[in-house]
């Protein structure tokens, strides 16, 4: 499917995600469409013939939404869940007829984000798109919808107590550079690391269970 654009400079299409119903073979596509200055919203299309043809896109969300994920349940039910950054919520809709129609939006949960407006979890700085799954087993939770996402820390930052520079070798967990909560950690990829290992500097810290860290 080729989605028509109004203007390459103003009309953007991003974050495509596809799912397949193994029972019917129906393909589902969600994506974000942004028309600069007017909206950022979730749109949806489906294919009933293995991707040869696609339905015209339909709008599922309001005008401040992105990062949709489609997922199919064990009985063919279709969920689409996305980040509504206008309301700071994870929102979804459900279809029981292979995507021909959708029920009203439902709220999955509130998103905590006190790092600025518009939320930093949009605007490309910290994508906060949901992870979505449905229990397709034959167990007691069959059909249960699960959604996971990232909240941003709520509260005030603790004091900065200095900084630690990496100590090589620290590209294995057993040799990670110690760092304390409240310190900044710095490192660099040495040229010698290119030859035989992934470029990585590992740090390790200890803390009390339940402590919130940023």
């Amino acid at each position: 499917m080729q989605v028509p654009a109004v203007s390459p400079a103003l009309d953007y299409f991003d974050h495509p995600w596809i799912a397949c119903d193994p029972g019917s073979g129906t393909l589902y596509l969600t994506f974000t469409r942004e028309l600069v200055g007017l909206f950022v919203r979730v749109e949806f299309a489906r294919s009933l013939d293995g991707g040869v043809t696609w339905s015209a896109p339909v709008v599922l969300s309001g005008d401040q939404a992105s990062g949709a994920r489609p997922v199919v349940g064990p009985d063919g039910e279709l969920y689409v869940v996305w980040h509504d950054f206008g309301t700071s919520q994870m929102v979804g809709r459900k279809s029981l007829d292979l995507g021909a129609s959708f029920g009203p939006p439902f709220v999955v949960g509130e998103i905590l984000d006190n790092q600025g407006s518009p939320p930093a979890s949009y605007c490309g700085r910290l994508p906060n798109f949901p992870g979505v799954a449905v229990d397709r087993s034959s167990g007691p939770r069959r059909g249960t919808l699960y959604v996971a996402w990232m909240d941003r820390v709520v509260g005030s930052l603790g004091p900065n107590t200095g900084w630690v520079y990496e100590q090589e070798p620290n590209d294995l967990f057993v040799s990670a550079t110690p760092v304390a909560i409240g310190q900044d950690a710095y490192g660099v990829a040495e040229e010698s690391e290119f030859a035989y290992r992934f470029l990585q500097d590992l740090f390790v810290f200890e803390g009390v269970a339940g402590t919130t860290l940023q």
Side-chain angles (χ1 to χ4, degrees):
M1 179 184 68
Q2 183 175 359
V3 181
V6 176
S7 166
L10 299 175
D11 208 8
Y12 298 92
F13 300 90
D14 206 355
H15 309 303
W17 208 260
I18 197 167
C20 178
D21 180 354
S24 67
T26 306
L27 295 175
Y28 302 114
L29 173 69
T30 59
F31 57 92
T32 299
R33 180 184 176 192
E34 177 177 1
L35 187 57
V36 175
L38 293 179
F39 59 74
V40 182
R41 66 193 187 192
V42 170
E43 298 191 5
F44 165 86
R46 66 173 183 165
S47 174
L48 302 176
D49 54 12
V52 177
T53 60
W54 291 83
S55 65
V58 297
V59 178
L60 293 186
S61 72
D63 287 346
Q64 298 185 73
S66 186
R69 297 289 189 266
V71 64
V72 180
D75 299 315
E77 64 274 32
L78 169 65
Y79 298 93
V80 178
V81 180
W82 62 84
H83 177 189
D84 188 314
F85 59 91
T87 61
S88 295
Q89 295 174 323
M90 286 295 170
V91 178
R93 294 182 70 175
K94 180 179 181 180
S95 174
L96 295 175
D97 55 9
L98 304 180
S101 64
F102 285 83
F106 58 85
V107 175
V108 176
E110 304 292 328
I111 299 173
L112 303 178
D113 188 337
N114 65 351
Q115 301 298 305
S117 180
S121 49
Y122 186 65
C123 300
R125 290 176 293 178
L126 188 62
N128 193 8
F129 301 155
V132 185
V134 177
D135 188 341
R136 300 180 59 88
S137 74
S138 57
R141 298 190 184 277
R142 176 181 171 87
T144 302
L145 174 67
Y146 297 94
V147 182
W149 67 92
M150 178 178 62
D151 280 342
R152 303 203 75 196
V153 65
V154 174
S156 58
L157 296 178
N160 185 290
T161 58
W163 58 275
V164 171
Y165 194 81
E166 63 152 315
Q167 297 295 317
E168 292 287 354
N170 68 341
D171 47 7
L172 296 174
F173 286 111
V174 295
S175 59
T177 301
V179 60
I181 296 175
Q183 294 179 320
D184 292 325
Y186 296 92
V188 64
E190 301 290 347
E191 183 178 357
S192 61
E193 293 182 84
F194 280 91
Y196 61 94
R197 202 179 300 279
F198 292 113
L199 299 179
Q200 58 184 1
D201 294 317
L202 301 182
F203 295 83
V204 63
F205 68 90
E206 294 184 0
V208 177
T211 302
T212 299
L213 302 177
Q214 179 179 14

